[in-house]
Every structure is written in C-alpha cells, then in structure tokens.
Amino acid sequence: MLHGPAAMGEPWQPQPQQQRLPGLGNASEPSAWPSAAGEPGTAAPGGSGGTGAGGAVSPWDIALCATGTAVAGENALVLAVLFYTPSLRAPMFLLIGSLALADLLAGLGLVANFAVRYLLRPPSEAAELGAAGLLLAAFSASVCSLLAITVDRYLSLYNALTYHSERTLGFTCAMVLLMWLLCLGVGLLPLLGWNCLRDQSACSILRPVTKDNAAVLAVTFLLLFALMMQLYLQICKIAFRHAQQIAVQHQFIATAQATSTRKGLSTLSLILGTFALCWIPFAIYSLVADSSYPVVYTYSLALPATCNSLINPIIYAFRNPDIQKSLWLACCGCIPSTFSSRPRTSSDV
C-alpha cells in the first residue's frame, strides 16, 4: 500500500541529500589533503561523497601515498649512510641529515594520512589531526632545513677563513634542535584548536587548516624563499669574486677552483629552480583559493610540492662525493677507479 504524497496522486519528489564537503566521509571529518570524491566531475561510484570502507579510493590519494612511500625509502637510505659513516659528521652533513629526516617524516605523513582516511575504522578525529600536524611539521622542517643549508653555504664563502672554527658541530646541533622545536610547534597547531572542524566555511584547500592559517603559512614560505634567493645572489657574487682573485694570484689553481665554483653555482641554481617550481604555485594557490575550489586543482599542485622531498636527496646527498663514496662501499665494497677524489671546497654544496 502506498503512503504519503504518492497515495494522494502527487508526483514523487526525491529528497535532497545533505551537501558534503570534499574530504573524508562527512563535513565534520577533517583531512590533511582534500578528497576527489564528492566534487563535481569526480564523484565516487553510486553518487556518494564519502570515502573509505565501501567507497572509491581517489587516484590522487593513491599517487600521494605512492610518492610518500618513495620519499620515505629514499630519505631513509640517506639517513642510514650518514649514521653508519663516521667520516660524515661535519656540520654540513648534519644539515643534510636534518633535511633527510624532515622529508622522511613527510613521506610517512603522506602514508599515514592515506591510512587514516581509507583504512582506519571508525574514523578518529585525533588521528586525522595528528596526521595533518605531522605533515605540517615535516614540510615546515624541510623548508627550514633548505634555508639552513643555504645560510651555511653563504657563511662558508663569506667567512671562508674562520668558517670551520666558528661553525662547530655543537653550534650546528643547537641551531638544528631549535629549528625542529619551532617546526614541531607548527605541527601541534591543529591539535591545539587551530582547525576548521567547527566551522567548515573557514576551511582552506587543505582541511583541517583554516584559510587564515594557510595564508600565514603561505606568506611565511614566500618570505623564506625570498631570503633564499637573496642569499643565492650573494653567494654568486662572492664565488665569482673569489674565482677572479685566485685567477690573478695563482693561474695554475684557477682551473680547479673555477670548476668547483661552477659546480656549486649550478647546484644552487638546480636547488632553487626545483624548489620554486615545486612549491611556489602551491603557495600562491593557497593564498587565493579555499575549500570551495575544485579539488583537482589542489591535488595537481600539491603532488609536485610533495615531489620536492623526492628530489632533495638527489640534489643534496647523492651528488655529494663523500656520500657517493659511502654508497659505493656499502653496495659493492669498492670504489670505482673513475671516482673523483677531489677534496671538498667551500664552493661545493
């Protein structure tokens, strides 16, 4: 027997469903990365905006999880080489280790965020905020480590005569510890209430970070990048001036020094160019967009940003002659005869 409007001959009207924001399940469940499910043109099978058990897994989330796995494995290798090689204890290698640790945690954060979103049942608000905090802390530490390496390279050229006596291992350890404490504080912000769980209209493109907090982080990032660019310009000027002075005084040393200077400058260009291409578009988008924008834009910019942590070990670690030597010894127990044994100079990165 029919009941309600249909029994009285009235046409049946579908009941409107509650609108859901892109993300994990419903609007009250946060996520460090937005989900493609539930957005126009990317809805999951069956029309459900939710994800997780019984829902479609976003290909973007799979790509981020795979990237995180590769990032974690690559940077774990760098940390293992640095830890098990006693000769790699200079302040420069401590900074490289800090960068590798930050990128390792970033990779684990991407994997953890995928697990919390799709595998954890029932959903845990604390776990989701923890995954978001881990990503914030890790990527903040990665950017700060890149800045610290740039500052270290600048000081090695600007104070070339007193650099090794002033930049002791203890001083570098203290600075790295202070930097990590600051980044851990940034990561704790979502857990301390700096999130948009109670006001979905305040969400940024990356829930549970609010639009205001995302704007502050993006502006801070752009200022740090501007500082890195300024240091890079100063490094170029000092390196060229050193090369000219050496060329005038000792012609027979000029070739080796010029080669070292060119290598250092090309490395710095590669560093900043890669960093800018990976992070600048995402930072600018974070300033102008919010959670109402199509998530495909967020994913297409967030994925290259995470890939920066995949490129960092190649630029900083695997191109370093000392780390290359340790890798050769660990993998095959020998060093190729073509391996360059040129000692490091202050121009190397």
Side-chain angles (χ1 to χ4, degrees), residues 7-347:
M8 295 182 290
E10 298 180 9
W12 177 80
Q13 296 292 336
Q15 294 297 322
Q17 295 183 352
Q18 182 181 2
Q19 183 180 3
R20 295 184 178 186
L21 291 175
L24 180 64
N26 53 49
S28 64
E29 296 175 354
S31 175
W33 300 101
S35 172
E39 280 293 315
T42 59
S48 173
T51 56
V57 179
S58 167
W60 289 104
D61 285 324
I62 295 176
L64 285 172
C65 183
T67 302
T69 303
V71 166
E74 190 178 25
N75 286 280
L77 176 61
V78 175
L79 287 174
V81 170
L82 294 176
F83 182 79
Y84 289 105
T85 307
S87 60
L88 303 180
R89 295 292 185 269
M92 177 197 65
F93 293 111
L94 180 63
L95 296 177
I96 293 177
S98 174
L99 176 63
L101 177 60
D103 288 337
L104 170 64
L105 293 177
L108 294 177
L110 291 172
V111 177
N113 187 72
F114 182 89
V116 167
R117 174 176 297 181
Y118 293 103
L119 304 179
L120 183 62
R121 289 296 175 269
S124 170
E125 181 178 290
E128 293 160 1
L129 290 175
L134 176 59
L135 287 171
L136 280 177
F139 283 117
S140 297
S142 179
V143 173
C144 289
S145 295
L146 289 172
L147 176 62
I149 292 176
T150 305
V151 172
D152 181 73
R153 293 300 89 211
Y154 170 74
L155 293 177
S156 70
L157 289 172
Y158 185 76
N159 298 323
L161 297 179
T162 60
Y163 168 78
H164 294 287
S165 60
E166 294 177 351
R167 295 286 290 176
T168 62
L169 187 61
F171 176 80
T172 305
C173 287
M175 293 296 102
V176 170
L177 179 60
L178 182 62
M179 177 195 73
W180 272 95
L181 290 176
L182 178 62
C183 294
L184 289 177
V186 173
L188 288 174
L189 292 179
L191 289 168
L192 296 177
W194 293 56
N195 57 67
C196 60
L197 300 186
R198 301 297 176 261
D199 184 9
Q200 295 297 322
S201 62
C203 285
S204 68
I205 58 175
L206 296 178
R207 285 195 332 227
V209 180
T210 64
K211 290 185 288 187
D212 293 338
N213 293 342
V216 171
L217 291 174
V219 170
T220 303
F221 167 81
L222 293 174
L223 291 176
L224 291 178
F225 179 75
L227 178 58
M228 291 176 63
M229 285 294 299
Q230 178 63 27
L231 291 173
Y232 168 69
L233 294 176
Q234 295 300 320
I235 288 173
C236 290
K237 293 178 181 179
I238 296 173
F240 281 124
R241 185 167 65 247
H242 285 183
Q244 291 175 353
Q245 292 173 352
I246 293 176
V248 172
Q249 296 176 1
H250 304 285
Q251 186 65 37
F252 63 94
I253 304 179
T255 302
Q257 181 66 21
T259 300
S260 174
T261 301
R262 284 195 300 270
K263 180 178 180 295
L265 294 179
S266 63
T267 301
L268 286 171
S269 301
L270 179 63
I271 290 168
L272 293 180
T274 303
F275 187 67
L277 289 175
C278 291
W279 278 106
I280 294 295
F282 183 70
I284 295 176
Y285 185 71
S286 300
L287 287 173
V288 300
D290 54 36
S291 58
S292 65
Y293 281 58
V295 293
V296 66
Y297 299 154
T298 302
Y299 274 120
S300 61
L301 294 176
L303 186 58
T306 60
C307 287
N308 183 248
S309 296
L310 193 65
I311 300 173
N312 284 336
I314 300 174
I315 296 176
Y316 288 95
F318 298 143
R319 297 177 75 248
N320 185 284
D322 297 319
I323 296 180
Q324 287 181 7
K325 184 186 299 183
S326 299
L327 284 174
W328 278 108
L329 290 174
C331 294
C332 62
C334 62
I335 300 176
S337 57
T338 57
F339 188 84
S340 174
S341 59
R342 177 184 63 82
R344 289 189 74 259
T345 69
S346 61
S347 300

